[in-house]
Coordinates of all heavy atoms in Angstrom, one line a residue:
M1 N 184.6 124.9 109.4 CA 184.9 123.4 109.5 C 184.6 122.8 108.1 O 183.5 123.1 107.5 CB 184.0 122.8 110.5 CG 184.1 121.3 110.6 SD 183.0 120.6 111.8 CE 181.6 120.4 110.7
V2 N 185.5 122.0 107.6 CA 185.3 121.3 106.4 C 184.9 119.9 106.7 O 185.7 119.2 107.4 CB 186.5 121.3 105.5 CG1 186.3 120.5 104.2 CG2 186.9 122.8 105.1
M3 N 183.7 119.4 106.3 CA 183.3 118.1 106.7 C 183.8 117.1 105.6 O 183.6 117.3 104.4 CB 181.8 118.0 106.7 CG 181.2 118.8 107.8 SD 179.4 118.6 107.9 CE 178.9 120.2 108.5
R4 N 184.6 116.1 106.0 CA 185.1 115.1 105.1 C 184.1 114.2 104.6 O 184.1 113.8 103.5 CB 186.3 114.4 105.8 CG 187.5 115.2 106.0 CD 188.6 114.4 106.6 NE 188.3 113.8 107.9 CZ 188.3 114.4 109.1 NH1 188.7 115.6 109.1 NH2 188.0 113.7 110.2
D5 N 183.1 113.9 105.4 CA 182.0 113.1 105.0 C 180.8 113.5 106.0 O 181.0 114.2 106.9 CB 182.2 111.6 105.0 CG 182.6 111.0 106.3 OD1 182.0 111.3 107.3 OD2 183.6 110.3 106.4
W6 N 179.7 113.0 105.7 CA 178.5 113.5 106.5 C 178.6 113.1 108.0 O 178.0 113.7 108.8 CB 177.2 113.0 105.9 CG 176.9 111.6 106.1 CD1 177.3 110.5 105.3 CD2 176.1 111.0 107.1 NE1 176.9 109.3 105.8 CE2 176.1 109.6 106.9 CE3 175.5 111.5 108.2 CZ2 175.5 108.7 107.7 CZ3 174.8 110.6 109.0 CH2 174.8 109.2 108.8
L7 N 179.4 112.1 108.4 CA 179.5 111.7 109.8 C 180.4 112.7 110.6 O 180.3 112.7 111.8 CB 180.0 110.3 109.9 CG 179.0 109.1 109.6 CD1 179.7 107.8 109.8 CD2 177.8 109.2 110.6
D8 N 181.2 113.4 109.9 CA 182.0 114.4 110.6 C 181.1 115.5 111.3 O 181.5 116.0 112.3 CB 183.0 115.1 109.6 CG 184.2 114.2 109.3 OD1 184.4 113.2 109.9 OD2 184.9 114.6 108.3
G9 N 180.1 115.8 110.6 CA 179.2 116.9 111.2 C 177.8 116.9 110.7 O 177.6 116.4 109.6
L10 N 177.0 117.5 111.4 CA 175.6 117.6 111.1 C 175.1 119.1 111.4 O 175.4 119.6 112.4 CB 174.7 116.7 111.9 CG 173.2 116.8 111.7 CD1 172.8 116.2 110.4 CD2 172.6 115.9 112.8
R11 N 174.5 119.7 110.4 CA 173.9 121.0 110.6 C 172.4 120.9 110.7 O 171.8 120.5 109.7 CB 174.4 122.0 109.6 CG 173.9 123.4 109.8 CD 174.5 124.4 108.9 NE 175.9 124.7 109.3 CZ 176.8 125.3 108.6 NH1 176.5 125.8 107.5 NH2 178.0 125.5 109.1
L12 N 171.9 121.3 111.8 CA 170.4 121.3 112.0 C 169.9 122.7 111.5 O 170.4 123.7 111.9 CB 170.0 121.2 113.4 CG 170.5 119.9 114.2 CD1 170.1 120.0 115.6 CD2 169.9 118.7 113.5
G13 N 168.9 122.6 110.6 CA 168.3 123.8 110.1 C 167.1 124.2 111.0 O 166.2 123.4 111.2
M14 N 167.1 125.3 111.6 CA 166.1 125.7 112.5 C 165.4 127.0 112.0 O 166.0 127.9 111.6 CB 166.6 126.1 113.9 CG 167.2 124.9 114.6 SD 166.0 123.6 114.9 CE 167.0 122.3 115.5
I15 N 164.1 127.0 112.0 CA 163.3 128.1 111.6 C 162.9 128.9 112.8 O 162.8 128.4 113.9 CB 162.0 127.6 110.9 CG1 162.4 126.7 109.7 CG2 161.1 128.7 110.4 CD1 161.2 125.9 109.1
T16 N 162.8 130.2 112.6 CA 162.4 131.1 113.8 C 161.3 130.5 114.6 O 160.2 130.2 114.1 CB 162.1 132.5 113.3 OG1 163.2 133.0 112.5 CG2 161.8 133.4 114.4
G17 N 161.5 130.3 115.9 CA 160.5 129.9 116.8 C 160.4 128.4 117.0 O 159.8 127.9 117.9
V18 N 161.1 127.6 116.1 CA 160.9 126.1 116.2 C 161.5 125.6 117.5 O 160.9 124.8 118.2 CB 161.5 125.4 115.0 CG1 161.6 123.9 115.2 CG2 160.7 125.8 113.8
L19 N 162.7 126.1 117.9 CA 163.4 125.6 119.1 C 162.6 125.9 120.3 O 162.6 125.1 121.2 CB 164.8 126.1 119.2 CG 165.9 125.3 118.4 CD1 167.2 126.0 118.6 CD2 165.9 123.9 118.8
T20 N 162.0 127.0 120.4 CA 161.3 127.4 121.6 C 160.0 126.6 121.7 O 159.5 126.4 122.8 CB 160.9 128.9 121.6 OG1 160.3 129.3 120.4 CG2 162.2 129.7 121.7
V21 N 159.5 126.0 120.6 CA 158.3 125.2 120.6 C 158.6 123.8 121.0 O 158.0 123.2 121.8 CB 157.6 125.2 119.2 CG1 156.4 124.2 119.2 CG2 157.1 126.6 118.9
I22 N 159.7 123.2 120.4 CA 160.0 121.8 120.7 C 160.8 121.7 122.1 O 160.7 120.7 122.7 CB 160.8 121.1 119.6 CG1 162.2 121.8 119.4 CG2 160.0 121.1 118.3 CD1 163.1 121.0 118.5
G23 N 161.5 122.8 122.4 CA 162.1 122.8 123.7 C 163.4 122.1 123.8 O 163.8 121.3 123.0
A24 N 164.0 122.3 125.0 CA 165.4 121.7 125.2 C 165.3 120.2 125.3 O 166.3 119.6 124.9 CB 165.9 122.3 126.5
E25 N 164.3 119.6 125.8 CA 164.2 118.2 125.9 C 164.2 117.5 124.6 O 164.9 116.5 124.4 CB 163.0 117.8 126.7 CG 163.0 118.2 128.2 CD 161.6 117.9 128.9 OE1 160.7 117.4 128.2 OE2 161.5 118.3 130.0
A26 N 163.5 118.1 123.6 CA 163.5 117.5 122.3 C 164.9 117.7 121.6 O 165.4 116.7 121.0 CB 162.4 118.1 121.5
L27 N 165.5 118.9 121.7 CA 166.8 119.1 121.1 C 167.8 118.2 121.8 O 168.7 117.6 121.1 CB 167.2 120.6 121.2 CG 168.5 120.9 120.6 CD1 168.6 120.5 119.1 CD2 168.9 122.4 120.8
A28 N 167.8 118.0 123.1 CA 168.7 117.1 123.8 C 168.6 115.7 123.2 O 169.6 115.0 123.1 CB 168.5 117.2 125.3
A29 N 167.3 115.3 123.0 CA 167.1 113.9 122.4 C 167.7 113.8 121.0 O 168.3 112.7 120.7 CB 165.6 113.6 122.4
V30 N 167.5 114.8 120.2 CA 168.1 114.8 118.9 C 169.6 114.7 118.9 O 170.3 113.9 118.2 CB 167.7 116.1 118.1 CG1 168.5 116.2 116.8 CG2 166.2 116.0 117.8
I31 N 170.2 115.5 119.8 CA 171.7 115.5 120.0 C 172.2 114.1 120.4 O 173.1 113.5 119.9 CB 172.1 116.6 121.0 CG1 171.9 118.0 120.3 CG2 173.6 116.4 121.4 CD1 172.1 119.1 121.3
A32 N 171.5 113.6 121.4 CA 171.9 112.2 122.0 C 171.7 111.2 120.9 O 172.6 110.3 120.8 CB 171.0 111.9 123.2
Y33 N 170.7 111.2 120.1 CA 170.5 110.2 119.0 C 171.6 110.3 118.0 O 172.2 109.3 117.6 CB 169.1 110.4 118.3 CG 168.9 109.5 117.2 CD1 168.6 108.2 117.3 CD2 169.1 110.0 115.9 CE1 168.4 107.4 116.3 CE2 169.0 109.2 114.8 CZ 168.6 107.9 115.0 OH 168.5 107.0 113.9
F34 N 171.9 111.5 117.5 CA 172.9 111.6 116.4 C 174.3 111.3 117.0 O 175.1 110.8 116.2 CB 172.9 113.0 115.8 CG 171.8 113.0 114.7 CD1 170.6 113.6 115.0 CD2 172.0 112.4 113.5 CE1 169.6 113.6 114.0 CE2 171.0 112.5 112.5 CZ 169.8 113.0 112.7
F35 N 174.6 111.6 118.2 CA 175.9 111.3 118.8 C 176.0 109.8 119.1 O 177.0 109.1 118.8 CB 176.2 112.1 120.0 CG 176.7 113.5 119.8 CD1 176.6 114.4 120.8 CD2 177.2 113.9 118.6 CE1 177.1 115.8 120.6 CE2 177.7 115.2 118.3 CZ 177.6 116.1 119.3
G36 N 175.0 109.3 119.7 CA 175.0 107.9 120.2 C 174.7 106.8 119.1 O 175.4 105.8 119.0
E37 N 173.6 107.0 118.4 CA 173.1 106.0 117.4 C 173.7 106.2 116.0 O 174.0 105.2 115.4 CB 171.6 106.0 117.3 CG 170.9 105.8 118.6 CD 171.2 104.4 119.2 OE1 171.2 103.4 118.4 OE2 171.3 104.3 120.4
V38 N 173.9 107.4 115.6 CA 174.4 107.6 114.2 C 175.9 107.7 114.2 O 176.5 107.3 113.2 CB 173.7 108.9 113.6 CG1 174.2 109.2 112.2 CG2 172.2 108.7 113.6
G39 N 176.5 108.3 115.2 CA 177.9 108.4 115.3 C 178.5 109.7 114.7 O 179.6 109.8 114.4
V40 N 177.6 110.7 114.6 CA 178.1 112.1 114.2 C 179.0 112.6 115.2 O 178.9 112.4 116.4 CB 176.8 113.0 114.0 CG1 177.2 114.4 113.8 CG2 176.0 112.5 112.9
L41 N 180.0 113.3 114.8 CA 181.0 113.9 115.7 C 180.8 115.3 116.1 O 181.3 115.7 117.2 CB 182.4 113.8 115.0 CG 182.9 112.4 114.6 CD1 184.2 112.4 113.9 CD2 182.9 111.5 115.8
R42 N 180.0 116.1 115.3 CA 179.8 117.5 115.6 C 178.4 117.9 115.1 O 178.0 117.4 114.0 CB 180.8 118.3 114.9 CG 180.7 119.8 115.1 CD 181.8 120.5 114.3 NE 181.6 122.0 114.4 CZ 182.1 122.7 115.3 NH1 182.9 122.2 116.2 NH2 181.9 124.0 115.3
I43 N 177.7 118.7 115.9 CA 176.4 119.2 115.5 C 176.4 120.7 115.6 O 176.9 121.3 116.5 CB 175.3 118.6 116.4 CG1 175.2 117.1 116.2 CG2 173.9 119.2 116.0 CD1 174.3 116.4 117.2
E44 N 175.9 121.3 114.5 CA 175.7 122.8 114.5 C 174.3 123.1 114.2 O 173.5 122.4 113.6 CB 176.6 123.4 113.4 CG 178.1 123.3 113.6 CD 178.9 124.0 112.5 OE1 178.3 124.5 111.6 OE2 180.1 124.0 112.6
S45 N 173.9 124.3 114.7 CA 172.5 124.8 114.4 C 172.6 126.3 114.4 O 173.6 126.9 114.9 CB 171.6 124.3 115.5 OG 170.2 124.7 115.1
Q46 N 171.6 127.0 114.0 CA 171.6 128.4 113.9 C 170.2 128.9 114.3 O 169.2 128.2 114.3 CB 171.9 128.9 112.5 CG 170.9 128.7 111.5 CD 170.8 127.4 110.8 OE1 171.7 126.5 111.0 NE2 169.8 127.1 110.0
H47 N 170.2 130.2 114.7 CA 168.9 130.9 115.0 C 169.0 132.3 114.6 O 170.1 132.9 114.4 CB 168.5 130.7 116.4 CG 169.3 131.6 117.4 ND1 168.8 132.9 117.7 CD2 170.5 131.5 118.0 CE1 169.7 133.5 118.5 NE2 170.7 132.6 118.7
D48 N 167.8 132.9 114.4 CA 167.7 134.3 114.0 C 167.8 135.1 115.3 O 167.2 134.8 116.3 CB 166.3 134.5 113.4 CG 166.0 135.9 112.9 OD1 166.6 136.9 113.5 OD2 165.2 136.1 112.0
P49 N 168.7 136.1 115.4 CA 168.8 136.9 116.6 C 167.5 137.6 117.1 O 167.5 138.0 118.2 CB 169.9 137.9 116.3 CG 170.1 137.9 114.8 CD 169.5 136.6 114.3
Q50 N 166.5 137.7 116.2 CA 165.3 138.2 116.7 C 164.5 137.2 117.5 O 163.5 137.5 118.1 CB 164.4 138.6 115.4 CG 165.0 139.7 114.7 CD 164.1 140.1 113.5 OE1 163.0 139.8 113.4 NE2 164.7 140.9 112.6
N51 N 165.0 136.0 117.6 CA 164.4 135.0 118.5 C 165.5 134.4 119.5 O 166.0 133.3 119.3 CB 163.8 133.8 117.7 CG 163.2 132.8 118.5 OD1 162.9 133.0 119.7 ND2 162.9 131.6 117.9
P52 N 165.9 135.2 120.4 CA 167.0 134.8 121.3 C 166.6 133.6 122.2 O 167.5 132.9 122.7 CB 167.2 136.0 122.2 CG 166.0 136.8 122.1 CD 165.4 136.6 120.8
A53 N 165.4 133.3 122.3 CA 165.0 132.1 123.1 C 165.5 130.8 122.5 O 165.9 129.9 123.2 CB 163.4 132.0 123.2
S54 N 165.6 130.8 121.2 CA 166.2 129.6 120.5 C 167.6 129.4 120.9 O 168.1 128.3 121.1 CB 166.0 129.7 119.0 OG 164.7 129.5 118.6
G55 N 168.4 130.5 121.0 CA 169.8 130.5 121.4 C 169.9 130.0 122.8 O 170.8 129.2 123.1
R56 N 169.0 130.4 123.7 CA 169.0 129.9 125.1 C 168.7 128.4 125.2 O 169.3 127.7 126.0 CB 168.0 130.7 125.9 CG 168.5 132.1 126.2 CD 167.7 132.8 127.2 NE 166.3 133.0 126.8 CZ 165.8 134.0 126.1 NH1 166.6 135.0 125.7 NH2 164.5 134.1 125.9
V57 N 167.9 127.9 124.3 CA 167.6 126.5 124.3 C 168.8 125.7 123.9 O 169.2 124.7 124.5 CB 166.4 126.1 123.3 CG1 166.3 124.6 123.1 CG2 165.1 126.7 123.9
M58 N 169.5 126.2 122.8 CA 170.8 125.5 122.4 C 171.8 125.5 123.5 O 172.5 124.5 123.7 CB 171.3 126.2 121.1 CG 170.4 125.9 119.9 SD 171.1 126.5 118.4 CE 170.1 128.0 118.2
Q59 N 172.0 126.7 124.2 CA 172.9 126.8 125.3 C 172.5 125.8 126.4 O 173.4 125.1 127.0 CB 173.0 128.2 125.8 CG 173.6 129.2 124.9 CD 173.5 130.6 125.4 OE1 172.7 130.9 126.3 NE2 174.3 131.5 124.8
K60 N 171.3 125.7 126.7 CA 170.8 124.7 127.7 C 171.2 123.3 127.4 O 171.4 122.5 128.3 CB 169.3 124.9 127.9 CG 168.7 124.1 129.1 CD 167.3 124.4 129.3 CE 166.7 123.6 130.5 NZ 165.3 123.9 130.7
C61 N 171.3 123.0 126.1 CA 171.6 121.6 125.7 C 173.1 121.5 125.5 O 173.6 120.4 125.0 CB 170.9 121.3 124.4 SG 169.1 121.2 124.6
G62 N 173.9 122.4 126.0 CA 175.4 122.3 125.9 C 176.0 122.8 124.7 O 177.2 122.7 124.5
M63 N 175.2 123.4 123.8 CA 175.8 124.0 122.6 C 176.4 125.4 122.9 O 175.9 126.1 123.8 CB 174.7 124.1 121.5 CG 174.1 122.8 121.1 SD 172.9 123.0 119.8 CE 174.0 122.9 118.3
Q64 N 177.5 125.7 122.2 CA 178.2 126.9 122.5 C 178.2 127.8 121.2 O 178.2 127.3 120.1 CB 179.7 126.7 122.9 CG 179.8 125.9 124.2 CD 181.3 125.7 124.5 OE1 182.2 126.0 123.8 NE2 181.5 125.1 125.7
K65 N 178.1 129.1 121.5 CA 178.1 130.0 120.4 C 179.4 130.0 119.6 O 180.4 130.0 120.2 CB 177.8 131.5 120.9 CG 177.6 132.5 119.8 CD 177.3 133.8 120.3 CE 177.2 134.8 119.2 NZ 176.9 136.2 119.7
L66 N 179.3 129.9 118.3 CA 180.4 129.8 117.4 C 180.8 131.2 116.9 O 179.9 132.1 116.9 CB 180.2 128.9 116.2 CG 179.8 127.5 116.6 CD1 179.4 126.7 115.3 CD2 180.8 126.8 117.4
D67 N 182.0 131.4 116.5 CA 182.4 132.7 115.9 C 182.1 132.7 114.4 O 183.0 132.9 113.6 CB 183.9 132.9 116.1 CG 184.3 133.2 117.6 OD1 183.4 133.7 118.3 OD2 185.4 132.8 118.0
Y68 N 180.8 132.4 114.1 CA 180.4 132.4 112.7 C 179.0 132.8 112.7 O 178.1 132.3 113.4 CB 180.6 130.9 112.2 CG 180.1 130.7 110.8 CD1 180.8 131.3 109.8 CD2 178.9 130.0 110.5 CE1 180.4 131.1 108.4 CE2 178.5 129.8 109.2 CZ 179.3 130.4 108.2 OH 178.8 130.2 106.9
E69 N 178.7 133.8 111.8 CA 177.4 134.2 111.5 C 177.2 134.4 110.0 O 178.2 134.6 109.3 CB 177.1 135.6 112.2 CG 177.2 135.5 113.8 CD 176.9 136.8 114.5 OE1 176.4 137.7 113.8 OE2 177.1 136.9 115.7
E70 N 176.0 134.3 109.5 CA 175.8 134.6 108.1 C 174.4 134.9 107.8 O 173.5 134.8 108.7 CB 176.2 133.3 107.2 CG 175.3 132.2 107.4 CD 175.6 131.0 106.5 OE1 176.4 131.2 105.5 OE2 175.2 129.9 106.8
D71 N 174.1 135.5 106.7 CA 172.8 135.8 106.2 C 172.3 134.7 105.3 O 173.0 134.3 104.4 CB 172.7 137.1 105.5 CG 173.1 138.3 106.4 OD1 172.7 138.2 107.6 OD2 173.7 139.2 106.0
L72 N 171.1 134.2 105.6 CA 170.5 133.1 104.8 C 169.1 133.6 104.3 O 168.4 134.3 105.0 CB 170.3 131.8 105.6 CG 171.6 131.2 106.2 CD1 171.2 130.0 107.0 CD2 172.5 130.7 105.0
E73 N 168.8 133.1 103.1 CA 167.5 133.4 102.6 C 166.5 132.3 103.0 O 166.8 131.1 102.8 CB 167.5 133.5 101.0 CG 166.2 133.9 100.4 CD 166.3 134.1 98.9 OE1 167.4 134.2 98.4 OE2 165.2 134.1 98.3
Y74 N 165.4 132.7 103.5 CA 164.3 131.7 103.9 C 163.0 132.3 103.4 O 162.6 133.4 103.8 CB 164.3 131.5 105.4 CG 163.2 130.6 105.8 CD1 163.2 129.2 105.5 CD2 162.0 131.1 106.5 CE1 162.2 128.4 105.9 CE2 161.0 130.3 106.9 CZ 161.1 128.9 106.6 OH 160.1 128.1 106.9
K75 N 162.4 131.6 102.5 CA 161.1 132.0 101.9 C 161.2 133.4 101.3 O 160.3 134.2 101.5 CB 159.9 131.9 102.9 CG 159.6 130.4 103.2 CD 158.4 130.4 104.1 CE 158.1 128.9 104.4 NZ 156.8 128.8 105.2
G76 N 162.3 133.7 100.6 CA 162.4 135.0 99.9 C 162.9 136.1 100.8 O 163.0 137.3 100.4
V77 N 163.1 135.9 102.1 CA 163.5 136.9 103.1 C 164.9 136.6 103.6 O 165.1 135.4 104.0 CB 162.5 137.0 104.2 CG1 162.9 138.0 105.3 CG2 161.1 137.3 103.7
M78 N 165.8 137.6 103.6 CA 167.1 137.4 104.1 C 167.0 137.5 105.7 O 166.4 138.4 106.2 CB 168.1 138.4 103.6 CG 168.4 138.3 102.1 SD 169.1 136.7 101.7 CE 170.7 136.8 102.4
R79 N 167.6 136.5 106.3 CA 167.7 136.5 107.8 C 169.1 136.3 108.2 O 169.8 135.5 107.7 CB 166.8 135.3 108.3 CG 165.4 135.4 108.0 CD 164.6 134.3 108.6 NE 163.2 134.3 108.3 CZ 162.3 134.8 109.1 NH1 162.6 135.4 110.3 NH2 161.0 134.9 108.8
H80 N 169.5 137.0 109.3 CA 170.8 136.9 109.9 C 170.7 135.7 110.8 O 169.8 135.5 111.5 CB 171.2 138.2 110.6 CG 172.6 138.2 111.1 ND1 173.6 138.3 110.2 CD2 173.1 138.0 112.3 CE1 174.7 138.2 110.9 NE2 174.4 138.0 112.2
C81 N 171.8 134.9 110.8 CA 171.8 133.7 111.6 C 173.0 133.7 112.5 O 174.1 134.0 112.1 CB 171.8 132.4 110.7 SG 170.3 132.2 109.8
I82 N 172.8 133.3 113.7 CA 173.9 133.1 114.7 C 174.0 131.6 114.9 O 173.0 130.9 115.1 CB 173.6 133.7 116.1 CG1 173.4 135.3 115.8 CG2 174.6 133.4 117.1 CD1 172.9 136.0 117.1
Y83 N 175.3 131.0 114.9 CA 175.5 129.6 114.9 C 176.0 129.2 116.3 O 176.7 129.9 117.0 CB 176.6 129.2 113.9 CG 176.0 129.1 112.5 CD1 175.8 130.2 111.7 CD2 175.5 127.9 112.0 CE1 175.2 130.2 110.5 CE2 175.0 127.8 110.7 CZ 174.8 128.9 110.0 OH 174.3 128.9 108.7
Y84 N 175.5 128.0 116.7 CA 176.0 127.3 117.9 C 176.4 125.9 117.5 O 176.0 125.3 116.5 CB 174.8 127.1 118.9 CG 174.5 128.4 119.6 CD1 173.7 129.4 119.0 CD2 174.9 128.6 120.9 CE1 173.5 130.6 119.6 CE2 174.6 129.8 121.5 CZ 173.9 130.8 120.9 OH 173.6 132.0 121.6
G85 N 177.3 125.3 118.3 CA 177.8 124.0 118.0 C 178.1 123.2 119.2 O 178.3 123.7 120.3
I86 N 178.2 121.9 119.0 CA 178.6 120.9 120.1 C 179.3 119.8 119.5 O 179.0 119.3 118.4 CB 177.3 120.5 120.9 CG1 177.7 119.7 122.1 CG2 176.4 119.7 120.0 CD1 176.6 119.4 123.1
E87 N 180.4 119.3 120.1 CA 181.2 118.2 119.7 C 181.0 117.0 120.6 O 180.9 117.1 121.8 CB 182.6 118.5 119.6 CG 182.9 119.6 118.5 CD 184.4 119.9 118.4 OE1 185.2 119.3 119.0 OE2 184.7 120.8 117.6
K88 N 180.9 115.8 120.0 CA 180.7 114.6 120.7 C 181.8 114.4 121.8 O 181.5 114.0 122.9 CB 180.7 113.4 119.8 CG 180.4 112.1 120.5 CD 180.4 110.9 119.5 CE 180.1 109.6 120.2 NZ 179.9 108.5 119.2
A89 N 183.0 114.8 121.5 CA 184.1 114.6 122.5 C 183.9 115.5 123.7 O 184.5 115.2 124.8 CB 185.4 115.0 121.8
N90 N 183.1 116.5 123.7 CA 182.9 117.4 124.8 C 181.6 117.1 125.6 O 181.2 117.9 126.4 CB 182.8 118.9 124.3 CG 184.2 119.3 123.8 OD1 185.2 118.7 124.1 ND2 184.2 120.2 122.8
V91 N 180.9 116.0 125.2 CA 179.6 115.7 125.9 C 179.9 114.7 127.0 O 180.6 113.8 126.9 CB 178.6 115.1 124.9 CG1 177.3 114.7 125.6 CG2 178.3 116.1 123.8

């Protein structure tokens, strides 16, 4: 997806374990805020496959697994990331 401007989409950066700590209620509140108050049209997030609980939290909030994965460097360590997304039109 090519974002024409920042309102087209938002990518949440998640660190291993963060989603399982804040939980689905907090992520749902973030999604509702950015769709309702800010007007973002699409939200994406990623997680390390070594922490599948974060993926389950995203699924619980209506996010769907995307056909996109990549390796990202975090604190000098390469981590594989699986992406999930949700569009305002589908909420």
